[in-house]
Amino acid sequence: MSADAILTALLPVIDGLAATFGPTCEVVLHDYRRGEQSVVAVSGKVTGRKPGGALSEIGLAVLAQGDAAANDINYLTRTQEGRIVKSSTMPLRDETGHVFGALCVNIDVTALRQAGDLLTALAGSPSAPIPATTFSDDFDDVVDARIRAEEAFRGKPAASLTRPERLTLLQALDRRGIFTVRNAVPRVAERLGISRSAMYADLADCRRPPSDEDAES
């Protein structure tokens, strides 16, 4: 079945899924062929996105995996507002097996987690930290959030990094799929305070396989 036929078939399904789980559920249909504005349809209001909105860091991770992407079921993330969301992301494949989109189910479990945390506190067992995820209709928000996370990890602003430090940051962004999106390079270059040409050169160095001389050094 073609990608367009799959999307057409799923459009009426997402409303039924969201209605089945109630007002704390949201179902999002993505078409990665649309680039950063991958959201085709949304049913529910958990993340606040709408059709034409941006893919999240989770979608970038799917793109980074390419056709090897597999279902990611029942993982927890934290929104910018502090809501706890249990999600499942299921890549969509066309008749050739190429991943072209995803069906995502998001359920707001904040109230359930609060009750669970209370019981956990009473029982004396610590809960594991939940990673934050940026859900937005603007892909620039996703880029900024990822760079802020890398800045926090390194303890300094991205614009003040030395070139070796910047290459390490770019490798981290590349692994997370940031550069699979069209026009991501100039956006990241602007945030790092470097020219586009320098950005492309740095990115090429990041992706170059290590040579024998590098290994000896």
Side-chain angles (χ1 to χ4, degrees):
M1 185 180 293
S2 70
D4 290 335
I6 292 171
L7 292 172
T8 300
L10 285 175
L11 281 174
V13 173
I14 66 172
D15 288 334
L17 284 174
T20 298
F21 289 100
T24 61
C25 178
E26 171 192 84
V27 183
V28 185
L29 186 61
H30 288 275
D31 181 356
Y32 295 146
R33 298 172 301 172
R34 297 187 176 197
E36 65 190 66
Q37 296 177 312
S38 67
V39 177
V40 175
V42 182
S43 184
K45 301 181 182 296
V46 173
T47 65
R49 284 176 295 175
K50 57 184 181 294
L55 76 172
S56 69
E57 294 143 284
I58 298 166
L60 288 173
V62 174
L63 285 174
Q65 296 173 62
D67 292 342
N71 290 348
D72 194 358
I73 307 297
N74 290 336
Y75 56 89
L76 293 176
T77 57
R78 187 187 302 273
T79 70
Q80 303 97 300
E81 297 78 23
R83 310 296 294 178
I84 306 301
V85 179
K86 185 177 78 168
S87 302
S88 292
T89 298
M90 291 147 285
L92 302 176
R93 288 177 166 81
D94 61 20
E95 67 270 22
T96 68
H98 175 64
V99 172
F100 69 89
L103 179 67
C104 301
V105 180
N106 302 310
I107 300 177
D108 187 338
V109 295
T110 306
L112 292 175
R113 291 285 301 190
Q114 289 171 342
D117 288 345
L118 176 59
L119 294 174
T120 297
L122 290 173
S125 176
S127 57
I130 298 173
T133 299
T134 301
F135 295 104
S136 174
D137 284 328
D138 189 345
F139 183 66
D140 284 346
D141 293 339
V142 179
V143 173
D144 287 339
R146 192 65 258 158
I147 291 178
R148 286 196 301 270
E150 296 297 335
E151 288 176 331
F153 177 74
R154 287 166 176 79
K156 61 194 303 188
S160 68
L161 297 177
T162 64
R163 187 169 188 270
E165 290 172 332
R166 189 167 70 240
L167 293 180
T168 301
L169 181 145
L170 293 178
Q171 286 175 331
L173 296 179
D174 201 18
R175 285 194 299 270
R176 293 180 177 273
I178 289 288
F179 300 113
T180 59
V181 175
R182 183 183 177 187
N183 294 327
V185 167
R187 288 165 164 163
V188 175
E190 180 181 357
R191 285 152 181 78
L192 297 182
I194 60 177
S195 67
R196 294 188 185 186
S197 59
M199 178 71 191
Y200 280 112
D202 286 353
L203 194 55
D205 284 345
C206 289
R207 292 171 170 172
R208 183 178 296 117
S211 64
D212 293 337
E213 293 180 359
D214 293 332
E216 291 175 0
S217 61

